[in-house]
Amino acid sequence: MTETLIAQPHLRLRPTVAVHAADPVTRLGMINQLRRSAGIVLVDPGIAPAGIVVVALDTLDDAALERLRTMRRAGSRIVAVVPMLDARTILPALGAGVRAVLTRPELTGERLVNAVRCVAAGGVELPTVVVRYLVERVDRSTNTVSDDRTLRLATLTPREREVLSLLAQGLSTREVATAMAYSERTIKNVLQELTTRLELRNRTQAVAYAVRHGWI
């Protein structure tokens, strides 16, 4: 499948890269592929921070998205390696900080190195099917709603929707955490991520905006 490079500034950087994968064989394979490139510095994520994180994901569920957000909050840009493409599930990953997406069946050393270099230089590398889906979403949004935050609302995860729905029912942050069996800190982190992404001041605005546009 042809991949589209959206942005690729001149590449002169020597990015520091950490590799995460639940399967040790997969992790070792990606490390060996990256090690062949003289322009990439591999680091141990437990010892030194990495500017780029290459992470192999089995699914893009809430737990995986939270891991990606944690990496982004630590200052890393993310290259995600996924089993298969589904543009609708890729969107939340983009909101969580992913800047390049590769599929395992088509993963080669050259593609992985090029994706890392692209992201290190400030670029974004996405498969054509994802780019097409994003363009279609923008077209629909432009034709129906002028507020670009509506497009970002479309990337809400099931957990984010549930948090907003419970808040809309009048529950406090602590009550939402109890109802969803999460810590109150986790719920606060979800709300902070939402309000930042939607460029809103607080959770009240986020709930009101979501209700007004029929998202919850």
Side-chain angles (χ1 to χ4, degrees):
M1 182 179 297
T2 301
E3 293 180 310
T4 299
L5 191 64
I6 296 179
Q8 189 173 11
H10 187 55
L11 305 178
R12 301 180 189 177
L13 305 178
R14 286 175 55 83
T16 56
V17 181
V19 178
H20 290 261
D23 176 19
V25 175
T26 299
R27 182 174 182 272
L28 182 59
M30 292 192 296
I31 287 174
N32 287 336
Q33 290 173 334
L34 292 169
R35 185 174 285 139
R36 298 185 184 125
S37 174
I40 291 175
V41 178
L42 288 167
V43 299
D44 186 332
I47 297 176
I52 306 292
V53 175
V54 177
V55 54
L57 299 169
D58 294 324
T59 61
L60 281 171
D61 56 13
D62 284 344
L65 291 172
E66 186 59 35
R67 284 180 58 206
L68 295 176
R69 293 189 188 101
T70 298
M71 294 173 186
R72 184 181 68 176
R73 286 192 289 266
S76 299
R77 283 168 285 180
I78 303 166
V79 176
V81 179
V82 297
M84 59 182 294
L85 286 174
D86 182 339
R88 291 170 296 180
T89 61
I90 292 295
L91 282 179
L94 299 180
V98 170
R99 292 297 171 262
V101 177
L102 301 168
T103 61
R104 290 188 187 181
E106 298 180 329
L107 184 64
T108 65
E110 181 180 4
R111 285 183 178 226
L112 183 58
V113 168
N114 285 343
V116 167
R117 287 177 173 171
C118 172
V119 173
V124 179
E125 184 167 325
L126 301 174
T128 302
V129 63
V130 176
V131 175
R132 186 180 300 116
Y133 184 75
L134 290 172
V135 170
E136 291 172 354
R137 292 298 298 266
V138 171
D139 286 343
R140 287 198 298 269
S141 178
T142 301
N143 292 333
T144 58
V145 182
S146 60
D147 191 338
D148 66 1
R149 283 180 296 186
T150 300
L151 180 60
R152 278 171 281 174
L153 267 172
T155 69
L156 290 182
T157 67
R159 180 169 67 174
E160 291 170 338
R161 289 179 186 273
E162 186 175 358
V163 168
L164 287 177
S165 179
L166 291 172
L167 289 173
Q169 296 172 36
L171 274 65
S172 67
T173 304
R174 179 172 297 180
E175 289 169 335
V176 171
T178 300
M180 296 182 63
Y182 288 115
S183 69
E184 187 174 5
R185 182 174 180 179
T186 296
I187 299 302
K188 288 181 178 179
N189 286 340
V190 171
L191 289 171
Q192 182 179 2
E193 175 72 26
L194 272 171
T195 53
T196 299
R197 191 164 81 240
L198 302 179
E199 298 178 3
L200 298 171
R201 287 195 297 270
N202 52 48
R203 69 181 190 180
T204 302
Q205 280 196 348
V207 170
Y209 193 86
V211 170
R212 188 161 62 247
H213 289 86
W215 292 100
I216 60 173

